[in-house]
Every structure is written in structure tokens, then in C-alpha cells.
Amino acid sequence: MGQPDTWFYQPIGGVDILFVIGGFIMWRTTLGKQQSPGAFFLRRFWRIVPLYWLFTAFMLLVMLIAPRLVQSARFDPWHVLASFAFIPYPNPATGTMEPLLIPGWTLNYIMFFYLLFSAALLIPEEKRLHAFSALLLSIVALQVLSPAPATPLSFYTSSIILEFLLGMWLCAWHLRSQWRPNATVCLVLLICACLAIGVLPHRWPDLPRILSLGLPAAIMLAAALGLERAGRVPRAPGIKLLASASYSLYLSHPLVLSAFGQLWRRIFPTNSDVLQWAFSLTAVAVCVLVAIVIYRTIERPLVTSRPLARALQAK
């Protein structure tokens, strides 16, 4: 199926929505709570890292045993080490700053954000948001010192890290405001934000990511919060389960899509628009089902056991 000549393009802002939500959650869950930077960082480490390391190790094993099955990576010991250590390093297969497990590039930002935010917990709460804002803005300002796009400096100074800040400020405003939202206005804002994410990065590719994707993502979250405050968000167990399994889905979907795509091509060697639509719908269902299985059998047991977090809570 060719790309249609249209004003609307495939949205690419899922990561940006994730970062805005991440900033919102970090501010909400730490507000009014006393916790040390070390305890905060180790809890977040335990929540994120084990499952990611498990998938990265699986990816490495497949690459070593059957390299023909891995199209997005080539073995490079430094790249492998950087992938496990959350250090941005050029992928030898693509040349971009992506780890062995491609979605892990976002986790490099998330771990960087956790590290900075854990240090910010040393700042008094009433000054923390302004101080942290100044820190992130200063880091992004260092972008002018970056000699090339594919360097650790250019990676960490990207405006995308300001999306965490948008989420934090949105949370601070949401908790303090007496806003009584109009559900219709919120729905219109939500639709407009979705359209903006689909249009802005393609029509104006030179716009900083914080403007083309981060700001619409923040508006989208604000509109969703308004709908929730207005009592217009349905409570559905299926949606809650999908949300719970979202991290497993995020990490596993490239591997599942690759395996399922190869299997599909063997079954259907020819191609057509109908088969492409059928593949897309079936692949989404398979990815979701696999993610739910992984969540229930691997991720949830890892998180609920949390021996490190329990030890920290006992202190």
C-alpha cells in the first residue's frame, strides 16, 4: 500500500506522550513525600531495568545464534555494553543512537531523567520545580556545543527532555487549579492535539520536537485530565489491563512484529491491500496478547516481589 498524498500523516508522537506522562507521574508521586535520592532511584531502577535487561539479553542471544534473524543490529561489544548501561552509542547497523533493543533509546532518556530528578529531591519542595526547570533548560542550551547529531552530547541535550518538564508543570497546575472543565471543549482539544501530532512534524520538520510533538502531547494529557475531572472517562477492566501491560508491550512489540512478519510472509508470499490490512490488524492483536502474557508471567512477578524496594521501605 503506497503512501497517500494527503495532509495527514502517520502519527509518531507516542514517545512524546510517554515522556509528558512520565514527568506528570514523577511530580505527582513524590509531592509531599520524604524520600532519599538513592531510595527513589533504586525503586525506579527496579521497576524499569530487569525486564529491559531480559529483553536485551534475549536480543543478544538471537543475534549471536541466528544473526540472519536480526536486521536492526550487528554485534559490537561496545554497543552491547552501552545498551545494558543505558549509554547512547551509535548502532553499528543503523548509525543512529539506538541500543540493541531499539525502543531502549527512550529508556536512555528516562534513566537520565530519573538520575537528575533523584538529585533534585535534595532541593526543598517549594523550590524544586523551578530549580529542576532551570537545570533542564541549561542542559538543552548545551545543544549549541554539539558537533554532530549522533553524539552523546547531542542525544542528552535534545529538546525532547523538556517534555518531562511539561508533564511536571502540568501536574503542578492540575493539582492547584480549580478548573471546572467543559467536556466538549476538552474533547475538541484532544482531537486537535491528535491532529497536530499527525501533521506538525511532517509539515514543519525543522520545528523543535518540544513544539511539534511535546506541546501537543501536553495538551492531549491536559484534555484527558479534564475529561476525567468531568466524569467522562469510562472505567473498563480491559483498558486497565492493557495499560498495565504497556511496558511489556513497548519492549516486546519489535521482536513480536519481526517474528510474526517473517511467519506471515511464508504463509502469504504474495501481497495486496487486503492482506496488508489483515496483517496490520492481526499483528496488533498478537502483540497485545503476547504483551499481556509477558506482563502476567514475567513483569508483574518481578515488580510485585520487589525485594530491593521492600528493603528500602524497611529503612
Side-chain angles (χ1 to χ4, degrees):
M1 187 183 300
Q3 285 289 342
D5 184 14
T6 179
W7 59 273
F8 187 79
Y9 300 83
Q10 179 183 4
I12 57 173
V15 167
D16 306 87
I17 298 170
L18 170 68
F19 284 6
V20 172
I21 293 175
F24 185 99
I25 291 175
M26 284 304 99
W27 188 252
R28 181 67 183 90
T29 56
T30 57
L31 197 63
K33 297 179 180 179
Q34 295 292 330
Q35 55 184 310
S36 70
F40 167 83
F41 185 78
L42 288 175
R43 287 192 183 99
R44 302 315 304 168
F45 183 95
W46 187 257
R47 176 65 184 87
I48 295 295
V49 175
L51 190 65
Y52 172 70
W53 277 354
L54 184 64
F55 275 103
T56 301
F58 176 78
M59 185 81 172
L60 176 60
L61 185 64
V62 173
M63 185 172 60
L64 293 175
I65 296 176
R68 62 183 178 81
L69 298 178
V70 180
Q71 303 173 358
S72 61
R74 290 199 304 267
F75 181 74
D76 177 341
W78 290 111
H79 180 238
V80 171
L81 182 61
S83 297
F84 280 99
F86 298 96
I87 297 173
Y89 189 91
N91 187 315
T94 65
T96 54
M97 304 294 282
E98 295 171 333
L100 194 57
L101 186 68
I102 298 297
W105 72 268
T106 62
L107 298 183
N108 290 347
Y109 280 116
I110 290 173
M111 295 302 290
F112 182 55
F113 170 66
Y114 286 163
L115 186 63
L116 295 177
F117 190 75
S118 63
L121 292 176
L122 295 171
I123 304 171
E125 189 173 278
E126 63 274 11
K127 301 178 181 179
R128 187 178 301 154
L129 186 53
H130 291 87
F132 194 71
S133 300
L135 173 62
L136 289 191
L137 288 169
S138 299
I139 290 174
V140 173
L142 294 175
Q143 181 73 239
V144 297
L145 302 177
S146 178
T151 64
L153 180 60
S154 65
F155 183 89
Y156 283 126
T157 58
S158 168
S159 68
I160 196 173
I161 68 171
L162 297 180
E163 294 172 355
F164 294 109
L165 200 58
L166 283 178
M168 295 169 66
W169 277 101
L170 177 59
C171 181
W173 169 80
H174 179 70
L175 294 176
R176 294 173 184 170
S177 74
Q178 300 299 318
W179 178 40
R180 302 207 174 269
N182 180 284
T184 302
V185 172
C186 290
L187 185 59
V188 170
L189 284 175
L190 186 62
I191 294 173
C192 289
C194 291
L195 293 176
I197 285 176
V199 172
L200 293 180
H202 302 279
R203 287 295 184 182
W204 294 278
D206 294 331
L207 274 178
R209 187 160 182 156
I210 184 66
L211 296 179
S212 62
L213 290 170
L215 189 58
I219 294 173
M220 184 183 297
L221 178 57
L225 291 168
L227 289 172
E228 182 183 47
R229 185 172 282 186
R232 296 300 181 89
V233 177
R235 306 290 181 181
I239 295 177
K240 184 177 180 180
L241 176 60
L242 184 59
S244 298
S246 59
Y247 185 49
S248 292
L249 176 61
Y250 184 64
L251 294 182
S252 65
H253 81 273
L255 304 177
V256 176
L257 279 177
S258 177
F260 184 71
Q262 294 181 51
L263 177 62
W264 184 275
R265 284 192 294 270
R266 290 186 180 183
I267 299 174
F268 302 102
T270 59
N271 199 7
S272 68
D273 287 353
V274 173
L275 283 176
Q276 286 198 29
W277 277 106
F279 169 78
S280 299
L281 295 174
T282 309
V284 168
V286 170
C287 286
V288 169
L289 289 174
V290 170
I292 291 174
V293 171
I294 293 172
Y295 166 71
R296 287 180 166 173
T297 60
I298 301 176
E299 181 186 356
R300 187 166 61 181
L302 278 174
V303 174
T304 54
S305 62
R306 300 181 64 179
L308 182 57
R310 288 178 180 174
L312 290 169
Q313 290 173 355
K315 291 185 177 180

